[in-house]
Every structure is written in structure tokens, then in C-alpha cells.
Amino acid sequence: MSHARKYLIAGNWKMNLNSAEGAELAQDVASLVGQQTEVSVCLSPTYTALESVSKVVNKSNLLLGAQNMHQEAAGAYTGEISAEMLRHLFASFVILGHSERREYCGETDTIVNEKTLAALAANLKPIVCVGETLEEREAGRISEVIKTQVQGALVGVTTAQAENLVIAYEPVWAIGTGKTATPEMAEAVHAEIRSLLSGLFGAEAADKIRILYGGSMKPENADDLLAQPNIDGGLIGGAALKANAFAGIVESALKLSK
Ligand code: PEP
């Protein structure tokens, strides 16, 4: 039953929870699943809660992630945050190119690529999000969209850097909607992503890259999704805001790791 790669369960809290509320949720998650080391578990609060959550996370085996960063190292970019600033707070991961940022903040594949390179250069592990809209799925364009997004985000990434990459497949129509891709639908796209990665970095490196599924993952559907050979974890929105639900997903991954 054991899985080829170490599972990563990453919570994306989006624009929810202030610094005190974030620390409280992190503490609850830490009490439930913060001691085990078999599954990587990452919490991604808002920027203002990073420091308080970092303090909780650092006393456990949980890891810290950010939801975005700027591609430049420093300078006149009002309102932005650099990779180095995130590292200073002990962040391990950064979510890049989430569909909400692509839709509301105009992030293109080129911007996601610049951010990916900057994150890797700063020793932050990027969680690069890709996924098709319902319109694109219905038009039979899934493979084309995924290929453009994956290859577009990874221009210039070296094979040596690839082991620090994480890809999240998040069908846009499944995010926050309660609609989940079936395990078979998700697995088919994950296998395609792995083969794209193999084309870029070779099979050996591609086999080490974790590909997460995101889109209404919850304890009720986590077992079946995580049991797929190319689904190496989850990027969790709504369910990550409830300690028990989030821990339930981690428990699924733990069970499948044995
Ligand atoms: C997300 O935003 O990354 C996500 C997967 O959200 P949800 O779990 O709420 O669908």
C-alpha cells in the first residue's frame, strides 16, 4: 500500500484568519498531526499571520508555506514580499500561480516562471499550481492547457533544482465548489504532468517530484484520491480551515504511507 513519494498535505488558508487566529489553528493542527514525520504537512497563512504561525510550526514537525511572493529580491515594489523575507520567517514552501491569482491578479505563465526561479534560487520550494477551467475541459483542451502552464512555469529550471519542485493540479471548476475531480480523472492529468516533467528533467528526476491534487479535497474523498499512484498529496483550501478536517486528510495520507 505504500506510496512512491512522501505525501505532502498543504493547507492554503487564503485570505482568512488574523495572526492570533492563525496561531490558534496551527496549534490545533500541531496537537493532532504535528509530531509525526511520515507525511509532510504544511500550513500557508496570510502574510500577516506568517510570523505567529511560524512560531507554532517551529515547535513541531509542521512546515510553513506562503501563498505568494514577488519575483524580485528587493526594491521599489510597494506592497510586495520577497522570497528572502519568507525564508527569514522559516517558510519552506510558497504557493505560486494559484488560479485565484491568475484570475484576479493577472498572473501569467511568464510571471509564474519568474517567481518559480526566484523561489528556487532562495531555497524555497515552489508549489506551482496549474489547472483547466470548466470551459477548457468541455472544449477538450485539458492537455494543451496543462502543457502550456507546466512548461511555461518551468522555463530555465535545472534538473538539479527539480527535486525541490512541487506541482499542484487544481482543476479551476473544483476549487471551493464542492465538486471534486474523480480519482480517475485526476490521476489521468497527474500522469500527463509526470510525463511532461520527464520530458523536461528526465524520468529519474520526474519520479521524485510531488504532484498534489487540489479542489474540494476533504476527509471523505481523500482516501480515494491519495490512493492514486501519481497523486502525492493535496493542496487544501476550505478543509484546511478546520483542524479536524485537515488532520483527517493527513491521516488518510499516513494510512496510505504504511
Ligand atoms: C485551493 O484553493 O487551493 C483549493 C483547493 O481550495 P478548496 O480545497 O477549497 O477547493
Side-chain angles (χ1 to χ4, degrees):
M1 216 166 51
S2 90
H3 194 77
R5 290 156 289 274
K6 184 173 183 175
Y7 284 109
L8 168 62
I9 304 298
N12 171 14
W13 294 357
K14 310 195 184 187
M15 197 172 72
N16 295 294
L17 309 181
N18 63 29
S19 60
E21 293 162 342
E24 202 176 314
L25 176 58
Q27 191 54 65
D28 291 345
V29 174
S31 311
L32 292 168
V33 289
Q35 295 313 310
Q36 60 77 36
T37 53
E38 263 174 292
V39 170
S40 308
V41 180
C42 164
L43 306 180
S44 316
T46 59
Y47 288 141
T48 60
L50 275 171
E51 187 160 16
S52 67
V53 171
S54 178
K55 285 181 183 149
V56 176
V57 158
N58 287 341
K59 290 191 201 123
S60 74
N61 290 320
L62 301 177
L63 299 162
L64 185 68
Q67 299 174 19
N68 177 42
M69 53 167 255
H70 195 266
Q71 58 272 42
E72 296 298 334
Y77 301 99
T78 303
E80 296 291 349
I81 304 278
S82 73
E84 176 51 40
M85 292 166 187
L86 299 177
R87 289 294 296 148
H88 187 72
L89 292 177
F90 307 106
S92 303
F93 293 93
V94 59
I95 300 168
L96 296 177
H98 191 280
S99 65
E100 286 152 15
R101 294 203 59 83
R102 291 179 191 259
E103 184 179 353
Y104 307 132
C105 309
E107 285 200 8
T108 60
D109 289 331
T110 304
I111 295 173
V112 176
N113 179 228
E114 289 167 357
K115 292 186 177 191
T116 301
L117 294 172
L120 288 167
N123 280 323
L124 265 180
K125 297 185 171 78
I127 301 177
V128 176
C129 302
V130 299
E132 83 286 357
T133 62
L134 188 57
E135 213 177 16
E136 289 162 343
R137 175 168 279 263
E138 285 173 347
R141 295 185 50 223
I142 303 175
S143 300
E144 171 200 333
V145 169
I146 297 298
K147 184 175 177 189
T148 304
Q149 291 180 344
V150 169
Q151 294 184 342
L154 303 182
V155 176
V157 174
T158 66
T159 300
Q161 288 174 319
E163 67 181 270
N164 289 321
L165 267 181
V166 179
I167 307 291
Y169 169 56
E170 300 209 301
V172 178
W173 49 271
I175 298 179
T177 58
K179 291 184 194 145
T180 323
T182 64
E184 294 73 25
M185 280 156 80
E187 170 61 21
V189 181
H190 280 234
E192 267 187 56
I193 294 174
R194 182 129 6 244
S195 122
L196 289 168
L197 295 172
S198 179
L200 290 171
F201 306 117
E204 200 184 326
D207 275 347
K208 294 188 185 139
I209 301 174
R210 291 183 284 195
I211 307 175
L212 314 184
Y213 170 78
S216 299
M217 199 190 259
K218 45 187 182 255
E220 294 75 17
N221 58 28
D223 274 0
D224 290 342
L225 286 160
L226 295 173
Q228 301 297 316
N230 284 292
I231 300 186
D232 309 314
L235 183 54
I236 324 291
L241 294 170
K242 295 175 219 115
N244 283 322
F246 186 65
I249 298 172
V250 176
E251 296 291 348
S252 284
L254 275 170
K255 199 169 58 190
L256 291 159
S257 305
K258 308 257 187 255

